[in-house]
Amino acid sequence: MSARTTRTRVLAAAALAVATLTLTACNNGEGVRDEGASAGATSQPSSTPTSGSQKNKETTTDAGQAGSSSDSNSKPKDGKGAQNSSGSTGSSDSSKSSDSQDPGPTRTPCTSANTRMTATVVARPLNHLLLTVTNTGSKNCNVIGYPAVRFGEAQSVPPVMEESQPQAVVTLAPGESGYAGVRLSAADGSGSNGYTAKSLAVYLKDSGAASKPSLPAKGVYVDDSIAVTYWQQTMADALTW
């Protein structure tokens, strides 16, 4: 037998021994060891968790898209309400000057030129005269303060009853009237220096000329208790004092 043939037989015997050992291990329940996936194989997980940075990126993108959609929906289609360069919104009515609004009727002082004056003796209160001033002009006028009255040849005008002062100036529209009361004499006869007056002059504040309403033909009796009220809006208020 040659050396080559002997070597071949030895190798064959060694291979057979290895195969026998392997088969024996399988039969003993140890199984075959998994050497792992080959280097060329690629693992594909069923689901890939999203990293924190990826989630933030997606959230930011979604928020940006939502904001863009909201801005798009909030913009009026016709362009009204859009902000101008100064930051104001649209064509606001506040930009209109208050001068453009209707200032209302012009009010001027009531004078002898734009009013008519009458004097009426009343039954109640006793010894009282009612003055009525009527606006005969085309504009509102203010009848201010109280009337300055002068009976006959009197050298002075009577005082005003301060408690009769109204809360506001009396304004008369065209055709409207204001009223003032005149206490001619003391009701109980306690007055002094009495006389009968047959003429009357009434001066309005801020009016140079006097109105001269008629008195009864027999005149009116006046004493030093005479006094007048402020101009009032109603007849009842004028005759309260």
Side-chain angles (χ1 to χ4, degrees):
M1 178 181 301
S2 64
R4 184 173 185 178
T5 301
T6 300
R7 186 187 308 167
T8 300
R9 288 181 178 180
V10 171
L11 292 175
L16 179 60
V18 172
T20 301
L21 289 174
T22 300
L23 180 59
T24 301
C26 291
N27 291 337
N28 289 338
E30 294 178 359
V32 180
R33 186 175 63 183
D34 186 4
E35 296 297 332
S38 63
T42 302
S43 176
Q44 296 291 338
S46 58
S47 60
T48 304
T50 304
S51 66
S53 60
Q54 181 65 21
K55 286 183 178 180
N56 292 338
K57 180 177 181 181
E58 291 175 357
T59 302
T60 303
T61 302
D62 292 342
Q65 291 177 349
S68 176
S69 175
S70 175
D71 292 342
S72 175
N73 293 334
S74 64
K75 292 180 180 179
K77 296 181 180 180
D78 56 2
K80 293 181 180 179
Q83 290 189 341
N84 56 30
S85 58
S86 63
S88 60
T89 302
S91 55
S92 173
D93 291 338
S94 62
S95 62
K96 294 181 180 179
S97 170
S98 58
D99 294 339
S100 65
Q101 298 177 354
D102 183 6
T106 301
R107 292 173 183 153
T108 58
C110 295
T111 67
S112 59
N114 59 10
T115 61
R116 180 181 67 254
M117 187 80 64
T118 62
T120 307
V121 176
V122 296
R124 293 288 185 275
L126 292 175
N127 304 334
H128 272 65
L129 188 72
L130 177 68
L131 298 179
T132 303
V133 58
T134 303
N135 182 356
T136 58
S138 59
K139 299 179 180 179
N140 288 11
C141 70
N142 292 331
V143 56
I144 304 169
Y146 57 90
V149 299
R150 182 167 292 166
F151 288 90
E153 301 300 323
Q155 300 299 310
S156 62
V157 297
V160 65
M161 304 176 202
E162 291 294 346
E163 64 272 20
S164 68
Q165 184 173 8
Q167 294 184 352
V169 173
V170 176
T171 299
L172 304 180
E176 287 187 338
S177 298
Y179 307 90
V182 182
R183 184 180 64 210
L184 298 172
S185 59
D188 59 2
S190 61
S192 58
N193 300 317
Y195 64 96
T196 298
K198 294 188 176 182
S199 64
L200 171 63
V202 180
Y203 296 86
L204 295 174
K205 187 175 179 63
D206 298 331
S207 177
S211 297
K212 296 181 178 181
S214 299
L215 293 175
K218 64 178 182 178
V220 293
Y221 181 78
V222 180
D223 65 24
D224 57 9
S225 64
I226 187 173
V228 300
T229 70
Y230 283 90
W231 289 108
Q232 309 291 328
Q233 198 73 55
T234 69
M235 186 184 304
D237 289 340
L239 296 177
T240 298
W241 294 272

